[in-house]
Amino acid sequence: MKTKLGCALVLSFLMIVGIGCAQKPVSESGSAEPAVQGGPSPNPSETKVDLGTMNTQAVDVYFADAQVLELEKKEQEIEYKDDSEKYKKTFEALQNNTDSELVSLWEKVELLSLQYGEGKVTLDVHIPDEAKLGTSGELLALDALTQTMFQYDEVKSIDILVDGEAVDSLMGHSELEHPIQREP
């Protein structure tokens, strides 16, 4: 009940802000038309807008079943500009589950940064208490991450840092290698 009320309040606030931003400013003449200032107007053919080259790719993302016993693969589409953003968007896809019968094991984990270089993806995450899982959940979460990231041939290793530090265990149950190497 509180969640619905909170969502309704946030949605109402965003609508009010959106309506306020959408109104045109009134010029000195009192009309809603923009005032024309002196000076040359830009030639539309000379105006450059850098839209960037957005790439779209279907990726395999792994989620746990409802009992958190095994992983299931789901295909999702991501949009990205470069490799670093591709891996970040892939991690975000791992956090965002659209299937109500599956569980995202990384949903509550906060991604602080992600870097890619020389075949290595380095993730720096913050794991709040509500995101911590038991032993089997932790192992499945690591499997979900490695299977999702190692689908890219160029990724040879993954290093997971927790709050900037290379810790012995992700959530306190199983050993964490630094870095996790792709199995041949």
Side-chain angles (χ1 to χ4, degrees), residues 1-15:
M1 183 67 181
K2 289 182 180 180
T3 304
K4 288 182 182 179
L5 181 60
C7 289
L9 288 172
V10 168
L11 184 59
S12 299
F13 176 74
L14 291 174
M15 287 176 47

Side-chain angles (χ1 to χ4, degrees), residues 117-131:
E118 299 178 14
K120 179 179 173 183
V121 173
T122 303
L123 298 131
D124 186 6
V125 297
H126 171 71
I127 304 174
D129 288 338
E130 63 269 10

Side-chain angles (χ1 to χ4, degrees), residues 69-131:
L69 298 174
E70 61 185 14
L71 295 177
E72 292 189 29
K73 177 172 63 171
K74 284 299 221 186
E75 188 175 279
Q76 291 190 18
E77 289 224 346
I78 60 168
E79 287 187 354
Y80 61 93
K81 290 183 183 179
D82 56 21
D83 280 346
S84 185
E85 187 177 22
K86 174 172 70 171
Y87 306 124
K88 182 177 180 187
K89 294 289 186 177
T90 301
F91 184 80
E92 289 172 1
L94 190 62
Q95 292 179 300
N96 300 318
N97 178 23
T98 57
D99 189 337
S100 62
E101 295 182 16
L102 298 177
V103 177
S104 169
L105 300 171
W106 290 91
E107 180 179 22
K108 296 176 182 173
V109 175
E110 299 170 32
L111 180 64
L112 302 176
S113 70
L114 186 145
Q115 297 175 345
Y116 173 75
E118 299 178 14
K120 179 179 173 183
V121 173
T122 303
L123 298 131
D124 186 6
V125 297
H126 171 71
I127 304 174
D129 288 338
E130 63 269 10

Side-chain angles (χ1 to χ4, degrees), residues 131-146:
K132 293 188 178 181
L133 306 167
T135 304
S136 61
E138 180 177 350
L139 291 170
L140 279 176
L142 287 170
D143 283 346
L145 178 68
T146 55

Side-chain angles (χ1 to χ4, degrees), residues 9 35 46 54-55 104 123 138 153 162:
L9 288 172
E46 293 176 6
M54 292 299 285
N55 300 309
S104 169
L123 298 131
E138 180 177 350
D153 292 335
V162 178

Side-chain angles (χ1 to χ4, degrees), residues 33-50:
E33 297 299 317
V36 177
Q37 298 289 328
S41 62
N43 184 351
S45 64
E46 293 176 6
T47 305
K48 294 184 180 181
V49 178
D50 182 21

